[in-house]
Amino acid sequence: MTDTREPLRLGTRRSRLAMAQSGQVAEAVSRVTGRPVELVEITTYGDVSREALAQIGGTGVFVTALRDALLKGEVDFAVHSLKDLPTTQPDDLVVAAVPVREDPRDVIVARDALKFTDLPSGARIGTGSPRRMAQLNAYARSHGLDIATVPIRGNVDTRIGFVRSGELDAVVLAAAGLNRIGRGDEVTDFLSVDTVLPAPGQGALAIECTAGNADLIAALGELDDPFTRIAVTAERSLLAALEAGCSAPVGALADLLADGQIVKEMRLRAVVGTTDGTRMVQLSTTGPVPETHDGAMALGRELAAEMLAQGAAGLMGERAQ
């Protein structure tokens, strides 16, 4: 029997991608709670500012307004792209669920259906991400390719529009975002994580509510995927230990390595580089899958310490405050 109580209110950004992923979460929450879920659209600073994300700090610009609405009781829970969440979690809020992760890779949408390595000499590739710029430029440099990375902002339509209009030869986007809005067929090339490591937490969502709402925390917990949570915890712990924000040129990915159907180990890879790709620190570590939150945090911190020892801090530009 359907619950007749008031609908649960889900706070979401207004962008097409945010609305799409929040709508998918709303359906899942409605299934596990038996209650209707309504979307409450909230405008964040990151949505209205025209500045480059690297300039406005990146960290929290898409999150603060949603968290304020949670704390004021205007919404019951909120959905964030996990890579947008600051690494420090407020005491009065809790990430009740991290659902199964979408494809974490970056992708190219290029003119004439070109692959990355088939782009012509001098190709202009648009991205707003210092992380992507650093790794694309490093790859191009080491493989004798001549590319120019061009800073851009805007939603998916705006970014792909730069390619359709001929202003750019290609743009780099997250596979997860295109998949969630049903535009995965526009991808012309998937960038291997061996070429471009994604942002920490890329492809994953965080479902957040107030720490005092035990019933809702329990209900939302039904959507949690333990393996995804362990992986993104390690990635975000590394980001925090580097004292870097989500706009810093840091890539990280925790892979779960399976023997048949049994997950045996976790490999954490990370990279920090200058945006021109001339200087990079790239390391990885492999070990047993952490069984606890603290274990995943320790894994990230240990790899970050090795990277700092190799000079990673000097490659990140301004350290996040």
Side-chain angles (χ1 to χ4, degrees), residues 19-70:
M19 294 291 287
Q21 60 196 28
S22 293
Q24 290 158 13
V25 169
E27 289 176 18
V29 171
S30 194
R31 279 198 303 273
V32 299
T33 62
R35 292 175 67 176
V37 177
E38 64 181 24
L39 300 186
V40 179
E41 298 177 27
I42 294 169
T43 301
T44 71
Y45 180 68
D47 294 317
V48 295
S49 171
R50 297 272 56 87
E51 297 171 81
L53 285 187
Q55 261 57 62
I56 57 178
T59 307
V61 297
F62 295 120
V63 172
T64 304
L66 291 171
R67 285 181 159 173
D68 288 346
L70 271 174

Side-chain angles (χ1 to χ4, degrees), residues 8-307:
L8 288 165
R9 300 160 300 166
L10 189 169
T12 177
R13 289 171 55 200
R14 295 171 182 261
S15 73
R16 183 179 170 196
L17 172 56
M19 294 291 287
Q21 60 196 28
S22 293
Q24 290 158 13
V25 169
E27 289 176 18
V29 171
S30 194
R31 279 198 303 273
V32 299
T33 62
R35 292 175 67 176
V37 177
E38 64 181 24
L39 300 186
V40 179
E41 298 177 27
I42 294 169
T43 301
T44 71
Y45 180 68
D47 294 317
V48 295
S49 171
R50 297 272 56 87
E51 297 171 81
L53 285 187
Q55 261 57 62
I56 57 178
T59 307
V61 297
F62 295 120
V63 172
T64 304
L66 291 171
R67 285 181 159 173
D68 288 346
L70 271 174
L71 293 171
K72 290 175 185 170
E74 295 167 356
V75 297
D76 299 300
F77 65 107
V79 174
H80 310 283
S81 289
L82 204 137
K83 67 184 177 66
D84 294 334
L85 273 191
T87 52
T88 303
Q89 183 66 23
D91 291 338
D92 41 10
L93 296 174
V94 63
V95 175
V98 179
V100 174
R101 188 181 211 162
E102 247 281 10
D103 189 336
R105 291 177 294 177
D106 284 320
V107 297
I108 292 274
V109 177
R111 63 178 177 81
D112 306 322
L114 292 171
K115 305 284 188 195
F116 174 48
T117 50
D118 296 332
L119 289 168
S121 178
R124 289 164 52 80
I125 303 174
T127 172
S129 161
R131 168 190 63 81
R132 288 169 174 153
M133 286 184 180
Q135 293 182 83
L136 287 172
N137 285 323
Y139 182 89
R141 187 178 295 274
S142 64
H143 288 76
L145 302 175
D146 176 26
I147 64 168
T149 50
V150 180
I152 58 170
R153 276 212 64 189
N155 60 26
V156 169
D157 285 324
T158 301
R159 293 177 189 224
I160 292 178
F162 290 132
V163 176
R164 302 286 182 250
S165 69
E167 193 172 334
L168 295 174
D169 295 291
V171 290
V172 190
L173 299 161
L178 289 173
N179 288 342
R180 287 189 179 116
I181 61 173
R183 295 181 64 172
D185 59 345
E186 296 181 52
V187 172
T188 63
D189 199 12
F190 286 86
L191 295 174
S192 162
V193 295
D194 296 325
T195 302
V196 178
L197 277 173
Q202 184 161 311
L205 299 178
I207 307 176
E208 191 173 51
C209 66
T210 54
N213 197 338
D215 290 345
L216 185 56
I217 291 169
L220 295 175
E222 300 271 327
L223 305 179
D224 192 65
D225 178 60
F227 284 138
T228 298
R229 186 182 279 265
I230 283 288
V232 299
T233 298
E235 294 163 17
R236 285 165 55 74
S237 168
L238 174 130
L239 185 67
L242 292 174
E243 293 186 31
C246 63
S247 62
V250 177
L253 182 67
D255 287 313
L256 295 167
L257 307 177
D259 178 7
Q261 294 297 306
I262 302 166
V263 174
K264 294 276 190 167
E265 292 184 307
M266 190 163 84
R267 173 181 54 185
L268 178 61
R269 291 180 277 178
V271 63
V272 175
T274 54
T275 52
D276 64 3
T278 57
R279 294 163 62 210
M280 308 286 280
V281 172
Q282 186 155 7
L283 292 174
S284 69
T285 183
T286 302
V289 179
E291 295 183 359
T292 63
H293 173 84
D294 288 347
M297 293 287 287
L299 189 71
R301 280 196 298 270
E302 287 160 15
L303 190 59
E306 291 180 44
M307 296 180 78

